[in-house]
Amino acid sequence: MAYILPNLSPTLLLPKDNKLSTIILPLPSVSFFAVSTQTKLEPPPPRGVAQVNRTSGSQDKKEDQRNDFYVNLGLAVRTLREDLPSIFAKDLNYEIYRDDITFKDPLNTFTGIEKYKLVFWALRFHGRILFRDISFDILRVWQPSENMILIRWNLRGIPRVPWEAKGEFQGTSRYKLDRNGKIYEHKVDNFAFNFPQQLKPAASVLDLVTACPASPNPTFLWGPVDAQSSSWVEFYRAIIVTLDRESLVIPQDCLATCS
């Protein structure tokens, strides 16, 4: 019987009493039209919903910025690993640095990407002139904090003059990164030296440091400059003189030769 009832006419379900039949009336069509019209209208969104959307948009922006930082950080580490061992053979990839990058060593400070490029040009140019063989090796790469990259390196060279023995020394390069993952500071410090005892080189900029066992922290002090010279100190002085010449214009063919 249950499946038959929906198909029955409403008039058949009414009692035979005429009084009751007059009381039960179908809803007017106007009411149905009014209800259907109201259901189509949507009220404006409350203020709370709009505020939540703005907050989520700000969070998405911060998340995108963090993602960009880690992408650029990974690119910086990978580029440094690839570029530094060949600094005496070819130029660097400068996309990982900011235009206002600052370069510091224990005696000097230079600012600007053009000066920074000149540092590595001078390394290649004067390194080939003063040394028969010179190389740069990476010993360790690590991050003491999220926005800093530390690289422990070793520099070896054989001077062209026959009375000087080959020598090597280590140092630390500290690269600081901004919130976008770009390098804005490069600081060189923490020098340690290893020269043959039988042929100790003449006093040089390298000898201005009190040698201690290599460590990631700057533990070496600079003393007064000695007047004597060697290939190492001439190498350092040549780089500084090159950087101090503000009006220096390097010929393009020389750049091509040393790049």
Side-chain angles (χ1 to χ4, degrees):
M1 292 297 294
Y3 67 88
I4 298 177
L5 290 177
N7 296 326
L8 297 179
S9 173
T11 57
L12 298 177
L13 298 177
L14 294 176
K16 294 182 179 181
D17 191 349
N18 292 333
K19 293 181 180 181
L20 293 176
S21 62
T22 57
I23 295 174
I24 301 175
L25 296 176
L27 292 175
S29 59
V30 177
S31 300
F32 175 77
F33 177 78
V35 171
S36 61
T37 304
Q38 291 179 357
T39 56
K40 292 181 180 180
L41 296 178
E42 297 181 356
R47 295 181 179 180
V49 175
Q51 186 176 2
V52 170
N53 291 337
R54 288 196 297 268
T55 304
S56 62
S58 177
Q59 292 177 350
D60 292 341
K61 185 177 180 180
K62 291 181 179 179
E63 185 176 354
D64 292 341
Q65 189 176 32
R66 295 298 296 170
N67 292 336
D68 292 340
F69 171 82
Y70 288 117
V71 169
N72 291 331
L73 172 62
L75 177 62
V77 173
R78 185 168 61 253
T79 301
L80 291 172
R81 284 182 176 273
E82 295 174 355
D83 284 358
L84 294 182
S86 58
I87 59 174
F88 293 103
K90 63 179 182 179
D91 204 3
L92 306 182
N93 179 359
Y94 295 102
E95 294 181 359
I96 62 175
Y97 307 96
R98 278 191 352 195
D99 290 340
D100 59 345
I101 182 174
T102 299
F103 176 82
K104 298 180 179 180
D105 68 10
L107 295 179
N108 300 277
T109 299
F110 304 99
T111 302
I113 191 64
E114 296 303 324
K115 283 278 190 180
Y116 194 69
K117 291 179 180 180
L118 201 56
V119 169
F120 291 93
W121 175 88
L123 284 173
R124 294 191 303 275
F125 182 76
H126 298 292
R128 294 178 183 180
I129 292 176
L130 297 172
F131 294 88
R132 290 187 287 120
D133 182 45
I134 188 168
S135 62
F136 188 97
D137 301 317
I138 294 178
L139 303 179
R140 183 186 175 194
V141 180
W142 75 103
Q143 281 188 264
S145 62
E146 189 179 59
N147 64 337
M148 182 182 293
I149 302 171
L150 260 65
I151 298 181
R152 189 73 184 174
W153 45 261
N154 186 67
L155 178 63
R156 296 179 296 171
I158 303 177
R160 292 189 179 276
V161 293
W163 57 85
E164 288 187 43
K166 66 179 180 180
E168 62 181 283
F169 69 97
Q170 296 182 11
T172 300
S173 287
R174 300 166 178 262
Y175 298 90
K176 292 184 179 180
L177 296 89
D178 62 14
R179 60 183 180 180
N180 296 319
K182 295 290 186 178
I183 298 174
Y184 68 91
E185 182 180 291
H186 177 190
K187 184 177 180 181
V188 178
D189 55 19
N190 193 25
F191 296 109
F193 312 101
N194 181 19
F195 293 103
Q197 294 182 357
Q198 67 275 16
L199 290 174
K200 185 178 180 181
S204 67
V205 172
L206 305 180
D207 297 321
L208 302 179
V209 179
T210 302
C212 296
S215 68
N217 301 316
T219 54
F220 309 108
L221 302 175
W222 291 81
V225 178
D226 193 285
Q228 298 183 17
S229 180
S230 70
S231 295
W232 288 102
V233 72
E234 291 301 327
F235 181 48
Y236 183 84
R237 286 174 178 171
I239 295 172
I240 299 304
V241 170
T242 301
L243 294 171
D244 284 340
R245 296 177 181 176
E246 297 289 345
S247 59
L248 177 65
V249 178
I250 303 175
Q252 294 298 322
D253 55 347
C254 187
L255 280 173
T257 304
C258 299
S259 60

